[in-house]
């Protein structure tokens, strides 16, 4: 199997290298063919691995491929750990990436950076595969940093736009904060476990379970708690959790295909996957689990509220990603890792569908993104309309759609959790259901059913997108409907992740729920009498009433609740605070060092000061150098007298 795993990671890399280095030579068509073929090979082989692991009962694979270095007995290796968790992630990453590659052929058709874009997105796929397939922390960190690098390149792909450069720099700097914590966590693992290999670390947790460290004098900290929180800080950056969430909405400055790839299958899912993979460590610290749960709950609810005031079609969907990532994080904190990963999978399909659907609308309207300049598009774009509706229904957790099974599993699991903060988390995710339905159907109604406010020139050429755009939409819509029903039994409440995810018996909320679970159909019927269903239905009704029946009310509410609106439109002041405190503080410190350290100390004292000293000394010496013989004779006699005086004394 090792050769298959090598092909899976190397095929997208080969396509990326060929398109990146030789795209100018082979042309646009060859560039998209070679990268799409590389990702296609990875997708087919990943689906084969999924079949082998899930349906054929294949044994998990864990082996080193290449030893880079051995130092003091510590091995730095490249290797693969492939179990059901990895197989599922590989299938999701490669399938969504393949859809994005096909879609990009149509979306980026006229862009001058065509070959470069294909090289980047193929490299993104390779980086994410290296991350999810790793069997050690060295390779995990390589994949972690690689997806961060490529996201930086793709967010700022249109590098002539000042807003794009600002956005990719913001993403880069915010992720450096998270990655610093992540690197410290890995360093602590190396220090206390003496290994970077997953299997070795997980097998020796008992030896570290009760150890403590002193971070500050006089206070003892659990080593496991510190390690887990540091690792999760890395996840907060990659998976955009408060307060390291600020980069994700601005990532919309990149082309729409990369928005789908970042938000659905790569980058933001890395943190969720990492915490699930590290479950043997997190299960030893209820403090870390509580921290994870509360951060996720804050993100799920408060980031969802921001989606209510956005008018950019992509930003509304971006804030929904933030909120859904919060749901996944809450699941991790409740030890319902399987439900969180299950939601990661279903979310990947319907969120990619929504972003690509938004891109289809943007293409049709000549790159218009303001939803207030859209309306009644169902008449012009029937395929985009119906697929976008499917994605929206899945997002809000409509029974029989994929998102329902994964989201309701999380809500139920949090409701049964006894971890500190679970009550707050339960209320947050429950209210988040209403908020999600409200902003999602606000977007849907305004764009596809609302009053037609389309630019007359755009209306003349308005039509459905070409097949390279609509086919990926259809292929993503299918799992957005069926994948939840198919796998809720085994993934959320079964033993699908047995051996890959570890849950302590006292934290096994999904095990408790499994005793009451009677199949997907029974779960669906039961949902019609539960709070999440009625919250979602209420959100849809309120959206219809406010934006279809009485569109005058939102304007009135905006005026009367101007303070609340101002807080939301300013994103709780996070961006302003970062600009003033961190960016402004950094500039102020830099200015201080420049003016005091550089100008006054180095230039003024060291460089110019030494030069002035030489000038003063030279000026004094000039008076002694008269050129007259008697002056020099007098100086010599005076010197002799001084020497005689010294000897006499």
């Amino acid at each position: 199997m090792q050769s298959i795993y090598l092909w899976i990671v190397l095929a997208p890399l080969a396509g990326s290298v060929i398109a990146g280095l030789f795209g100018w030579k082979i042309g646009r068509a060859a560039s998209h063919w070679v990268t799409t073929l590389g990702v296609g090979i990875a997708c087919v082989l990943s689906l084969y691995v999924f079949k082998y692991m899930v349906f054929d009962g294949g044994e998990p694979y864990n082996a080193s491929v290449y030893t880079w270095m051995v130092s003091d007995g510590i091995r730095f290796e490249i290797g693969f750990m492939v179990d059901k968790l990895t197989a599922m992630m590989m299938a999701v990453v490669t399938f969504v990436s393949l859809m994005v590659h096909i879609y990009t052929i149509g979306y980026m058709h006229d862009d001058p950076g065509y070959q470069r874009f294909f090289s980047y997105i193929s490299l993104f796929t390779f980086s994410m595969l290296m991350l999810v397939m790793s069997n050690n922390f060295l390779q995990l960190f390589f994949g972690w940093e690689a997806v961060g690098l490529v996201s930086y390149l793709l967010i700022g792909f249109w590098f002539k736009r000042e807003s794009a450069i600002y956005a990719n720099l913001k993403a880069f700097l915010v992720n450096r904060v998270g990655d610093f914590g992540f690197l410290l966590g890995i360093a602590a693992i190396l220090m206390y476990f003496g290994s970077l290999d997953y299997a070795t670390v997980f097998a020796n947790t008992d030896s570290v379970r009760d150890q403590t460290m002193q971070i500050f004098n006089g206070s003892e900290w659990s080593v496991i708690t510190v390690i887990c929180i540091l690792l999760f800080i890395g996840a907060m950056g990659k998976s955009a959790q408060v307060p390291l969430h600020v980069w994700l909405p601005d990532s919309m400055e990149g082309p729409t295909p990369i928005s789908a790839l970042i938000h659905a299958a790569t980058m933001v899912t890395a943190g969720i996957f990492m915490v699930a993979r590290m479950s043997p460590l997190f299960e030893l610290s209820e403090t870390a689990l509580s921290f994870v749960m509360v951060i996720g709950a804050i993100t799920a609810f408060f980031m969802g509220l921001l989606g209510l005031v956005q008018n950019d079609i992509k930003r509304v969907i971006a804030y929904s990603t933030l909120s859904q990532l919060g749901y996944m994080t809450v699941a991790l904190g409740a030890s319902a890792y399987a439900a969180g990963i299950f939601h990661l999978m279903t979310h990947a399909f319907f969120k990619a569908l929504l972003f690509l659907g938004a891109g289809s609308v943007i293409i049709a309207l000549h790159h218009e993104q303001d939803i207030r300049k859209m309306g009644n598009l169902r008449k012009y774009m029937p395929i985009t309309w119906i697929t976008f509706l499917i994605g929206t229904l899945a997002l809000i957790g409509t029974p029989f759609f994929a998102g329902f099974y994964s989201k309701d599993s999380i809500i139920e699991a949090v409701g049964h959790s006894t971890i500190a903060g679970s009550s707050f988390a339960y209320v947050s995710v429950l209210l988040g259901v209403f908020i999600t339905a409200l902003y999602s159907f606000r977007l849907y109604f305004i764009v596809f059913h609302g009053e037609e406010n389309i630019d007359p020139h755009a209306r003349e050429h308005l039509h459905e997108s070409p097949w390279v755009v609509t086919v990926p939409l259809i292929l993503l819509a299918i799992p957005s409907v069926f994948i939840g029903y198919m796998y809720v039994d085994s993934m959320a409440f079964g033993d699908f992740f047995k051996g890959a995810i570890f849950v302590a018996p006292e934290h096994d909320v999904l095990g408790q729920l499994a005793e009451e679970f009677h199949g997907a159909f029974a779960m669906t019927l039961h949902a019609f009498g539960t709070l999440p269903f009625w919250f979602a239905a209420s959100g849809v009704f309120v959206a219809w009433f406010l934006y279809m029946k009485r569109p005058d009310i939102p304007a009135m509410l905006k005026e009367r609740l101007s303070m609340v609106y101002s807080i939301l439109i300013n994103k709780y002041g996070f961006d302003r605070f970062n600009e003033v405190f961190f960016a402004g503080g950094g500039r102020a410190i830099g200015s201080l060092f420049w003016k005091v350290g550089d100008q006054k100390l180095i230039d003024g004292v060291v460089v110019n000061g030494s030069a002035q000293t030489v000038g003063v000394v030279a000026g004094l010496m000039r008076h002694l150098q008269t050129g007259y013989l008697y002056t020099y004779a007098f100086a010599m006699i005076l010197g002799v007298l001084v020497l005689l005086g010294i000897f006499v004394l």
Side-chain angles (χ1 to χ4, degrees):
M1 292 294 289
Q2 188 182 90
S3 59
I4 292 178
Y5 300 141
L6 284 171
W7 272 104
I8 289 172
V9 295
L10 294 179
L13 178 63
S16 173
V17 170
I18 293 170
L21 297 181
F22 308 106
W24 63 275
K25 183 71 174 177
I26 62 178
R28 295 162 70 91
S31 295
H32 75 233
W33 273 112
V34 71
T35 50
T36 305
L37 180 63
V39 173
I41 290 170
C43 181
V44 171
L45 293 177
S46 295
L47 292 174
Y48 170 76
V49 171
F50 185 83
K51 170 187 171 295
Y52 172 74
M53 288 288 174
V54 177
F55 298 108
D56 299 342
E59 287 296 315
Y61 177 90
N62 182 16
S64 173
V65 176
Y66 171 72
T67 300
W68 175 47
M69 181 173 63
V70 179
S71 177
D72 292 332
I74 300 169
R75 302 180 69 85
F76 298 87
E77 298 175 327
I78 301 299
F80 298 136
M81 174 184 279
V82 182
D83 48 24
K84 288 183 179 179
L85 173 61
T86 311
M88 188 275 288
M89 289 296 298
M90 289 161 60
V92 170
V93 169
T94 54
F95 179 77
V96 172
S97 180
L98 180 60
M99 295 301 101
V100 169
H101 275 71
I102 296 170
Y103 178 94
T104 301
I105 296 172
Y107 190 90
M108 301 292 287
H109 183 265
D110 299 320
D111 196 282
Y114 191 80
Q115 295 97 314
R116 178 166 56 94
F117 189 82
F118 272 97
S119 176
Y120 286 172
I121 58 176
S122 195
L123 184 62
F124 212 162
T125 307
F126 160 76
S127 302
M128 190 64 185
L129 287 170
M130 287 292 285
L131 189 156
V132 301
M133 294 173 68
S134 63
N135 73 344
N136 62 83
F137 287 93
L138 174 69
Q139 186 176 329
L140 174 69
F141 189 71
F142 165 78
W144 195 268
E145 292 302 307
V147 294
L149 168 66
V150 184
S151 67
Y152 167 82
L153 295 173
L154 284 164
I155 293 169
F157 180 78
W158 287 319
F159 54 83
K160 294 184 180 180
R161 292 184 184 179
E162 187 175 339
S163 58
I165 297 302
Y166 177 85
N168 75 347
L169 184 61
K170 188 176 184 180
F172 183 81
L173 292 176
V174 171
N175 272 278
R176 295 292 68 73
V177 176
D179 292 355
F180 180 66
F182 188 60
L183 190 57
L184 287 177
I186 294 176
I189 286 172
L190 182 59
M191 178 179 177
Y192 284 95
F193 289 92
S195 175
L196 292 174
D197 181 71
Y198 290 167
T200 304
V201 170
F202 297 158
N204 290 283
T205 53
D206 287 341
S207 64
V208 183
R209 179 195 292 264
D210 299 320
Q211 288 194 45
T212 59
M213 65 168 68
Q214 281 196 4
I215 298 178
F216 305 104
N217 288 333
S219 62
E220 296 290 332
W221 292 65
S222 164
V223 168
I224 288 291
T225 297
V226 171
I227 288 173
C228 290
I229 290 177
L230 287 172
L231 292 176
F232 181 66
I233 289 172
M236 288 169 65
K238 279 288 180 289
S239 294
Q241 298 296 291
V242 172
L244 302 181
H245 67 284
V246 292
W247 67 272
L248 191 59
D250 286 359
S251 69
M252 298 301 96
E253 290 296 332
T256 299
I258 195 51
S259 299
L261 202 53
I262 287 177
H263 288 246
T266 61
M267 188 68 170
V268 297
T269 61
I272 307 299
F273 166 80
M274 184 273 293
V275 174
R277 177 61 83 192
M278 300 300 134
S279 58
L281 299 177
F282 279 83
E283 283 301 289
L284 299 177
S285 173
E286 287 204 1
T287 303
L289 290 174
S290 181
F291 180 72
V292 170
M293 181 186 288
V294 171
I295 291 293
I298 293 170
T299 306
F301 179 69
F302 288 99
M303 294 302 105
L305 288 174
L306 298 184
L308 296 171
V309 298
Q310 300 299 316
N311 293 311
D312 184 305
I313 187 171
K314 287 169 64 177
R315 283 184 181 268
V316 176
I317 304 172
Y319 279 108
S320 85
T321 300
L322 280 173
S323 182
Q324 297 308 304
L325 287 168
Y327 275 85
M328 298 175 209
T329 304
V330 166
L332 300 175
S335 292
Y337 304 98
I341 294 295
F342 183 39
H343 193 52
L344 182 157
M345 180 190 73
T346 60
H347 176 265
F349 294 116
F350 62 72
K351 186 50 59 70
L353 172 59
L354 287 172
F355 266 114
L356 298 186
S360 178
V361 170
I362 293 168
I363 293 172
L365 296 179
H366 300 286
H367 296 279
E368 178 60 66
Q369 295 184 199
D370 192 332
I371 60 175
R372 294 168 296 185
K373 298 179 182 179
M374 300 177 187
N376 200 30
L377 289 179
R378 75 184 190 282
K379 183 171 72 175
Y380 304 98
M381 309 179 71
I383 298 176
T384 301
W385 162 58
I386 196 67
T387 53
F388 198 93
L389 175 60
I390 289 171
T392 305
L393 290 171
L395 171 61
I396 70 167
T398 308
F400 294 108
F401 287 80
F404 158 73
Y405 300 98
S406 54
K407 185 185 284 188
D408 268 39
S409 300
I410 292 173
I411 295 171
E412 288 297 319
V414 175
H416 283 72
S417 176
T418 58
I419 300 290
S422 57
S423 298
F424 167 71
Y426 181 70
V427 173
S428 296
V429 295
L430 201 55
L431 292 175
V433 173
F434 173 80
I435 299 300
T436 301
L438 181 55
Y439 67 67
S440 298
F441 269 87
R442 168 184 177 262
L443 174 65
Y444 170 74
F445 284 136
I446 291 175
V447 172
F448 292 100
H449 292 271
E451 182 181 349
E452 200 170 298
N453 294 312
I454 305 169
D455 179 81
H457 176 69
R459 186 188 291 110
E460 291 176 8
H461 305 90
L462 189 55
H463 57 81
E464 185 59 270
S465 299
W467 70 266
V468 290
V469 172
T470 55
V471 167
L473 295 181
I474 295 168
L475 293 177
L476 286 167
I478 294 170
S480 296
V481 177
F482 298 110
I483 201 75
Y485 186 89
M486 292 168 58
Y487 284 101
V488 63
D489 194 349
S490 59
M491 281 197 183
F493 302 111
D495 59 354
F496 186 92
F497 296 115
K498 185 178 180 180
I501 290 175
F502 171 76
V503 181
E506 63 271 21
H507 298 155
D508 193 11
V509 289
L510 289 178
Q512 300 172 30
L513 292 172
E515 296 174 3
E516 305 169 7
F517 181 74
H518 301 293
F521 187 73
M523 179 181 178
T524 309
L525 293 180
H526 173 71
F528 290 102
T530 61
L531 282 175
F533 171 77
W534 290 108
F535 273 51
S538 300
V540 175
F541 174 77
V542 171
W544 171 82
F545 182 76
L546 292 180
Y547 298 100
M548 295 297 294
K549 193 72 174 175
R550 291 290 304 277
D552 57 303
I553 294 180
M556 180 188 69
L557 291 174
K558 176 181 175 181
E559 184 177 342
R560 293 193 177 182
L561 301 175
S562 58
M563 183 177 293
V564 175
Y565 178 80
S566 177
I567 291 171
L568 294 179
I569 203 67
N570 288 305
K571 297 169 274 190
Y572 305 116
F574 277 104
D575 282 344
R576 181 62 180 161
F577 175 78
N578 290 335
E579 287 173 7
V580 172
F581 185 77
F582 290 110
R587 287 194 297 270
I589 293 171
S591 178
L592 178 67
F593 280 121
W594 167 49
K595 290 182 178 178
V596 176
D598 192 23
Q599 287 188 330
K600 292 186 178 179
L601 184 61
I602 297 176
D603 287 347
V605 176
V606 177
V607 178
N608 295 334
S610 59
Q612 290 172 358
T613 301
V614 170
V616 170
V617 172
L620 293 173
M621 295 299 294
R622 189 181 302 115
H623 295 292
L624 300 177
Q625 302 293 332
T626 62
Y628 295 111
L629 182 61
Y630 61 81
T631 303
Y632 300 138
F634 175 75
M636 292 170 66
I637 295 169
L638 185 63
V640 169
L641 291 175
V642 170
L643 289 173
L644 287 173
I646 292 172
F647 284 121
V648 170
L649 292 175

